[in-house]
Amino acid sequence: MHDSNEKIIVLDCVESTNNYAMSLAKNGEARHGTAVFAYEQTGGKGRLGRQWITEPGASIQLSILTQMEWASLAKQFMLSVAASLSTLDLIERYSDSEVFVKWPNDIFINDRKAAGILIENFIRGDLWQWAITGIGLNVNQTRFPLDQQLERTTSLAIETAHQFEVLQLASELRTFFLNYIENWREGLHEQWMERYNSRLYKAGQLVKLEYRNRVFEATIISVTKEGKLVTKDVFEREWNLDEVKIRF
């Protein structure tokens, strides 16, 4: 362990910050707002079982624990919105570039992926006890594995031509995120979807979507507060999370 305090547990190396945070929740050691940061992950996770591979020490790899017993499981997507808007806030603090949310869980700077979000929950019965919100943001990395290059990947350093103190940015990201959670608890989240949709990647544009191995074209309209993607081709349709993929 590199360092530790009540706010951020800082690890030199860990398999997955989300797994570490989940173990805290399962073992009764979780505290609301505690975050787990690692300079290196050996088994970083993306959504749908994908790997998240980064250069050690060059990126934010952060998992934030939040106590969620006050919230309805039906509103889980608000957690993703909070994470997305927090990441937008952080990037916009240091970059003048256009930042977008690519449904359902990626953050793009201009036309390239800069961050990903992975949310895992600790639920007992119908009680949403804990959420672990994992955010990975490329900060100082300027070279990427071939598969990530093909996905059009970028970082803060590439976009701004500056290097950053990664742990400092992780701390700022945690603060942004916990402020959103507090606003949600206080009912001050009604405008979130308006901002989210104003930054929705490819909104109003014709894109290629993949559904059950079939590719078709549709215009992206918006995302609902339940997390469904609204598109229009001949008809207006709503898609559940991961039901369709946006193809480049």
Side-chain angles (χ1 to χ4, degrees):
M1 183 176 292
H2 183 81
D3 190 15
S4 178
N5 57 45
E6 289 186 0
K7 296 179 179 178
I8 302 182
I9 297 170
V10 182
L11 306 171
D12 285 326
C13 183
V14 72
E15 179 193 13
S16 158
T17 57
N18 262 34
N19 287 354
Y20 190 103
M22 181 63 81
S23 70
L24 295 178
K26 288 181 176 178
N27 295 334
E29 300 171 6
R31 298 292 179 271
H32 177 76
T34 293
V36 181
F37 171 91
Y39 286 102
E40 181 180 1
Q41 288 188 122
T42 59
K45 299 187 294 182
R47 294 181 78 252
L48 303 178
R50 299 186 186 101
Q51 278 192 303
W52 178 268
I53 301 171
T54 59
E55 178 184 315
S59 299
I60 289 175
Q61 296 160 137
L62 186 73
S63 297
I64 307 167
L65 281 150
T66 47
Q67 196 280 328
M68 301 301 298
E69 291 183 1
W70 51 272
S72 165
L73 276 168
K75 297 191 175 180
Q76 286 185 59
F77 187 68
M78 285 296 104
L79 201 64
S80 180
V81 176
S84 297
L85 297 183
S86 302
T87 310
L88 290 183
D89 289 343
L90 182 72
I91 294 171
E92 289 176 346
R93 175 175 281 185
Y94 295 101
S95 171
D96 294 329
S97 300
E98 288 193 289
V99 190
F100 301 96
V101 183
K102 178 177 175 284
W103 181 85
N105 70 313
D106 291 332
I107 306 297
F108 274 44
I109 302 177
N110 293 319
D111 213 30
R112 296 177 180 274
K113 180 177 175 178
I117 296 162
L118 175 65
I119 296 171
E120 298 180 288
N121 296 301
F122 186 56
I123 298 167
R124 281 192 172 153
D126 59 357
L127 186 64
W128 187 6
Q129 290 194 321
W130 293 95
I132 293 93
T133 302
I135 304 174
L137 171 63
N138 298 325
V139 179
N140 293 326
Q141 191 163 342
T142 56
R143 301 179 69 182
F144 298 93
L146 180 59
D147 60 333
Q148 291 185 33
Q149 291 178 34
L150 295 174
E151 280 193 38
R152 296 148 63 163
T153 311
T154 191
S155 68
L156 269 178
I158 290 172
E159 298 298 329
T160 65
H162 289 94
Q163 293 284 302
F164 299 89
E165 171 47 57
V166 177
L167 182 55
Q168 176 193 325
L169 264 61
S171 178
E172 293 174 23
L173 179 57
R174 171 187 173 274
T175 298
F176 278 132
F177 178 73
L178 291 177
N179 284 340
Y180 276 102
I181 297 300
E182 192 58 34
N183 286 340
W184 181 9
R185 286 196 67 161
E186 295 174 0
L188 305 175
H189 62 290
E190 294 304 317
Q191 304 303 314
W192 286 10
M193 289 311 302
E194 183 178 338
R195 183 172 179 225
Y196 184 98
N197 279 308
S198 75
R199 298 302 184 87
L200 185 61
Y201 185 65
K202 298 294 186 182
Q205 297 183 38
L206 193 66
V207 300
K208 290 181 179 179
L209 297 176
E210 182 180 336
Y211 173 66
R212 295 181 179 176
N213 297 318
R214 181 175 67 87
V215 177
F216 64 99
E217 290 190 331
T219 299
I220 291 181
I221 305 299
S222 64
V223 173
T224 71
K225 61 184 179 181
E226 294 79 27
K228 295 182 178 182
L229 181 69
V230 182
T231 66
K232 187 173 183 179
D233 44 89
V234 178
F235 304 102
E236 192 167 288
R237 311 173 195 268
E238 291 186 357
W239 306 95
N240 293 319
L241 290 175
D242 303 315
E243 191 174 8
V244 292
K245 292 192 298 185
I246 299 172
R247 292 278 300 267
F248 291 111

